[in-house]
């Protein structure tokens, strides 16, 4: 699992150039490439996992995007949206061809989605070269808004380094000199989440008891890793897992008896949405950092939670919010860039100002990431169901 080797990327880019030449599509004019006139339809690609470990996350993103459309007459920028959905799958092997299909065959005006950091890294050049706007609504790969920033790639979610760094000082304070064990899924996001956490944790005086990366998408039995944690003498654990892996990890953490002995921390994906429901009591007490919780006590969030609950008969998740906000920024940008091409749309992204989101107001920063607060959350049993209670804002 990882970024395709350079040779592969160059070959991929060559194929793209040929495909674009054959299709006569050198850019993403809204008129030609699935765009239509300022008043007509606009074709948008939704690239989310419909299979694999992250399939439930993809479903949440789809639901969040669709809710925004339903609340806005099925339109973005005044144009009726024709949504083309493609399966990201579990990694670049499936995610990259799916993105290529949306750009070259379906000729969408923009693509929204992507859960997995390795997929985001694998498709970055495709969007940069084809000049089709990409709005990443989850994948946090640091380079996407760092060393590999592109005019055509924007993000409504987070960067792995930032969402994890938000928790470091708080954990250093809570363990008061005790060592912390670091464990994560073995791919780009897991490595970056650990690095981000470690940077602020160590700067605040924290020390590491051990560091382990578990095979991504292949680990069902965490017991050998949990034994190592126990033997390490760690006073706390910091982890990054999401989707099906988060369910297994937290359940087994409790079944193996660690939950009573060693407090568990992580980025908020560890206890989010359907994952938390499946974990049930096993998740009580787990503390995480994230830029959203259903429990955020604001009128905007309450209104959103109610609308989502009504439409989907389940509470929303951070994935739904990130995709809902992706629809909101596309709506604003397509309005501003009426009739323009991909270049006009991404120029508009840079000018849209504050987004009134269920997570609170945020704006794109200079790197194309949201400028937003992060919260310390703790899983508590609230009214029969588990919730991520908001403890405080992290600085
Ligand atoms: C990522 O690969 O960047 C990723 C995946 C799932 C999450 C968060 C980040 O929940």
């Amino acid at each position: 699992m990882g970024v395709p080797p350079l040779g592969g990327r160059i070959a991929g880019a060559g194929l793209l150039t040929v495909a674009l030449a054959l299709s006569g599509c050198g850019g993403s004019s809204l008129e030609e490439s699935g765009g239509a006139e300022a008043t007509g339809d606009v074709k948008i690609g939704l690239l989310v996992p419909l299979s694999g470990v992250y399939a439930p996350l993809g479903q949440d993103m789809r639901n969040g995007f669709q809710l925004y459309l339903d609340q806005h007459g099925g339109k973005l920028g005044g144009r009726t949206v024709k949504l083309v959905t493609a399966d990201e799958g579990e990694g670049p092997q499936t995610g990259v061809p799916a993105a290529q299909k949306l750009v070259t065959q379906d000729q969408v005006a923009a693509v929204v989605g992507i859960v997995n950091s390795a997929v985001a890294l694998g498709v970055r050049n495709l969007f940069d070269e084809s000049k089709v706007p990409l709005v990443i609504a989850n994948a946090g790969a640091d380079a996407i808004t760092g060393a590999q920033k592109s005019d055509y790639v924007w993000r409504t979610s987070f960067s792995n380094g930032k969402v994890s760094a938000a928790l470091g000082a708080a954990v250093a304070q809570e363990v008061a000199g005790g060592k912390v064990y670091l464990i994560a899924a073995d791919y780009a996001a897991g490595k970056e989440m650990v690095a981000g956490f470690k940077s602020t944790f160590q700067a605040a005086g924290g020390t590491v008891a051990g560091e382990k990366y578990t095979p991504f998408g292949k680990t069902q039995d965490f017991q050998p890793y949990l034994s190592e944690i126990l033997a390490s003498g760690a006073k706390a654990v910091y982890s990054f897992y999401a989707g099906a892996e988060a369910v297994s990890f937290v359940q087994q953490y409790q079944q193996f008896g660690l939950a009573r002995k060693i407090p568990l921390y992580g980025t908020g994906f560890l206890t989010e949405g359907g994952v938390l429901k499946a974990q049930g009591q096993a998740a009580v007490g787990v503390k995480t950092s994230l830029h959203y919780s259903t429990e955020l006590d604001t009128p905007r969030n309450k209104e959103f939670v109610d609308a989502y609950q009504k439409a989907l008969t389940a509470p929303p998740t951070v994935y739904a919010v990130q995709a809902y906000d992706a629809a909101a920024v596309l709506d604003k940008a397509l309005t501003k860039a009426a009739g323009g091409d991909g270049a006009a749309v991404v120029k508009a992204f840079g000018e849209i100002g504050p987004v009134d989101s269920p997570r609170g107001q945020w704006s794109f920063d200079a790197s194309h990431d949201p400028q937003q607060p992060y919260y310390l959350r703790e899983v508590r049993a609230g009214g029969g169901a588990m919730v991520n209670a908001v403890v405080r804002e992290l600085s």
Side-chain angles (χ1 to χ4, degrees), residues 119-275:
V119 174
L121 292 166
V123 302
R124 181 264 177 212
N125 287 355
L126 167 69
F127 290 93
D128 190 64
E129 288 166 18
S130 62
K131 303 195 189 310
V132 173
L134 169 64
V135 184
I136 296 179
N138 186 67
D142 290 336
I144 290 291
T145 50
Q148 292 190 47
K149 180 184 157 192
S150 161
D151 287 348
Y152 287 86
V153 182
W154 297 68
R155 189 151 60 191
T156 57
S157 49
F158 57 88
S159 72
N160 294 330
K162 285 182 200 154
V163 65
S164 54
L167 192 60
V171 177
Q173 203 178 13
E174 291 193 9
V175 299
K179 291 189 175 185
V180 172
Y181 198 99
L182 314 172
I183 184 162
D186 189 7
Y187 79 104
K191 297 274 171 63
E192 290 182 349
M193 296 284 188
V194 166
F197 172 82
K198 216 163 47 168
S199 66
T200 49
F201 173 67
Q202 289 181 326
T207 50
V208 172
E211 186 169 331
K212 186 65 101 193
Y213 297 94
T214 56
F216 173 64
K218 295 187 187 74
T219 309
Q220 265 116 43
D221 180 9
F222 286 95
Q223 189 151 324
Y225 306 108
L226 298 173
S227 298
E228 276 186 43
I229 291 173
L230 210 48
S232 76
K235 287 287 173 284
V237 169
Y238 167 80
S239 60
F240 165 74
Y241 291 106
E245 289 195 321
V247 176
S248 312
F249 181 74
V250 170
Q251 280 178 342
Q252 292 175 30
Y253 198 86
Q254 192 229 17
Q255 284 157 7
F256 201 59
L258 269 71
R260 279 180 288 113
K261 298 182 187 141
I262 310 177
L264 178 59
Y265 295 87
T267 34
F269 317 106
L270 188 65
T271 59
E272 189 62 7
V275 158

